[in-house]
Amino acid sequence: MWLIRLTGDPNRQANIHVDFAVEPKVKRFAFDQFTLPACGVCNAGFATMEARAEPIMRMILGEQALSEADWDLILSWFDKVRVGLWLSKYLLSKNSLGINPHFHIAQRLDIRDRALIVFRRESAVQTLTIIGTFLPSFDFSPTSFALIVNNYLFVNLTGIDLCSHRLGFPSIKPLSTDGSRVEGALISGTHRTISPILRKFPHPEGTGLYQPIYRDLLTSAGTEPAVIEEYVTKNSIDQARGIGGVFQQRLGKAGRYPAHESTLWIPGKPLDNDRILRIAHTSVYEHQIEQMTSALQVSPPEQKRFWKDQISGCRRVLRTMLK
């Protein structure tokens, strides 16, 4: 609720969901009526996270100094928001696409590499805009979305080895799937950062905050030597949970974000709204399709036709949107 109040009238109507069951149909809700059911334990945990996230978001919008711990919390908060939006689509569409989730929001926090790319907007008009959740690609691959909050655009990305390898950490190369579990080969860490961290999205106009997550390696056979290396230990926030430190890429340079409060994260010149929207739509939907393509490569033979058809359809829609 705090984010809704921060960005305008809580009772304003918004396009929250597009149902593709028969033909695309937009569903509108008042922001303050858009809620999801959750158990008491989850509600209590999320309330604590929300209470911590609000002042940090206000500091971002005010372009104040932030610490590595602040970004760690905000990255987890974006995990929560992204998965919550995905589950809301599942509930609102009554699972029209036949997806079968096996988890709750709390089970999807802090489990995969993640990034938050931050851009300044020329306009300071109050607004809250959700981008990247309306196409079926988000239903099948809820790995990215964008959020415009007043004078800032946030592009949130996640994925297996999204950034671990290029930040010097050990990582997994997916080879096959076993139900919801991904089987893969260990790739040793390089112990150095490589810029740009995302080869397909160098974002020279924005600041990228990246966090390698090696949680899966903690429970995989034969990976212990890789996760107890000095480089991993030195560059982790919580090694016992497989949580790496926060790294930053700005103006083409990448490195560990300072533990102390810093204004190094503030992006360069603000961008006009057309540029902001194009960056948001292109980066988010292309990442979703890229992750779907990765799923195709490791999927069983009987599922490959399904993934090819979905990827082809999503690409057609994206090309139409970007014309």
Side-chain angles (χ1 to χ4, degrees):
M1 182 65 76
W2 62 265
L3 186 61
I4 297 171
R5 292 193 301 267
L6 182 63
T7 54
D9 180 2
N11 298 311
R12 67 193 186 276
Q13 294 284 312
N15 297 333
I16 298 295
H17 171 62
V18 179
D19 192 347
F20 288 89
V22 179
E23 60 182 27
K25 181 180 179 182
V26 177
K27 293 186 177 182
R28 292 175 61 82
F29 296 86
F31 265 124
D32 63 349
Q33 298 299 311
F34 184 55
T35 59
L36 293 173
C39 69
V41 174
C42 289
N43 269 331
F46 292 151
T48 299
M49 175 184 287
E50 294 290 340
R52 295 175 60 196
E54 179 180 1
I56 297 174
M57 179 60 76
R58 290 182 179 275
M59 292 169 69
I60 293 173
L61 300 181
E63 300 186 343
Q64 300 178 36
L66 297 174
S67 68
E68 181 180 41
D70 292 331
W71 287 115
D72 175 51
L73 187 281
I74 284 295
L75 284 161
S76 293
W77 182 80
F78 269 92
D79 274 353
K80 169 189 174 289
V81 174
R82 188 187 65 256
V83 178
L85 288 169
W86 182 75
L87 289 174
S88 74
K89 289 197 71 177
Y90 171 80
L91 294 172
L92 291 171
S93 67
K94 299 180 181 178
N95 196 20
S96 61
L97 296 178
I99 297 169
N100 187 22
H102 295 285
F103 55 83
H104 300 286
I105 294 176
Q107 296 170 302
R108 305 303 293 179
L109 302 184
D110 309 337
I111 67 167
R112 294 284 185 268
D113 285 7
R114 55 201 186 184
L116 189 65
I117 320 300
V118 184
F119 299 86
R120 296 170 68 198
R121 297 176 65 231
E122 285 183 349
S123 174
V125 175
Q126 284 189 315
T127 186
L128 177 60
T129 306
I130 302 167
I131 298 172
T133 64
F134 294 102
L135 297 187
S137 56
F138 183 73
D139 298 68
F140 292 111
S141 178
T143 55
S144 57
F145 85 112
L147 203 62
I148 296 178
V149 182
N150 296 349
N151 54 322
Y152 268 85
L153 163 68
F154 303 90
V155 176
N156 178 234
L157 311 171
T158 188
I160 297 173
D161 194 17
L162 175 73
C163 58
S164 281
H165 180 67
R166 295 179 74 82
L167 291 177
F169 280 68
S171 57
I172 292 178
K173 179 182 180 180
L175 299 175
S176 63
T177 57
D178 180 13
S180 61
R181 182 176 176 80
V182 177
E183 305 289 344
L186 175 67
I187 301 175
S188 299
T190 61
H191 303 168
R192 64 188 179 94
T193 58
I194 303 173
S195 181
I197 298 172
L198 297 180
R199 286 176 290 183
K200 296 182 180 180
F201 186 26
H203 59 79
E205 300 153 310
T207 299
L209 290 309
Y210 296 88
Q211 190 168 37
I213 308 289
Y214 52 94
R215 185 170 166 180
D216 287 344
L217 294 180
L218 298 179
T219 58
S220 301
T223 59
E224 183 179 359
V227 298
I228 61 172
E229 293 173 336
E230 181 182 357
Y231 180 89
V232 175
T233 301
K234 181 180 178 181
N235 287 289
S236 292
I237 288 179
D238 189 341
Q239 193 170 19
R241 294 176 53 234
I243 309 295
V246 177
F247 289 73
Q248 173 181 284
Q249 179 182 305
R250 182 177 180 273
L251 301 177
K253 296 182 179 180
R256 181 78 180 270
Y257 191 87
H260 59 80
E261 293 181 345
S262 169
T263 57
L264 287 174
W265 67 270
I266 298 176
K269 67 176 183 178
L271 306 177
D272 64 61
N273 199 54
D274 287 344
R275 178 64 178 151
I276 285 288
L277 291 176
R278 188 165 188 86
I279 288 173
H281 283 95
T282 302
S283 59
V284 167
Y285 285 121
E286 286 187 350
H287 182 75
Q288 291 170 9
I289 293 172
E290 179 182 322
Q291 293 298 302
M292 291 172 69
T293 303
S294 297
L296 164 66
Q297 293 170 351
V298 300
S299 63
E302 64 272 15
Q303 295 182 10
K304 290 189 180 297
R305 172 50 56 190
F306 169 83
W307 282 111
K308 287 180 180 178
D309 290 345
Q310 298 304 323
I311 292 168
S312 177
C314 290
R315 287 194 185 281
R316 286 197 300 271
V317 174
L318 180 59
R319 283 195 296 269
T320 301
M321 287 179 58
L322 297 179
K323 283 184 179 179

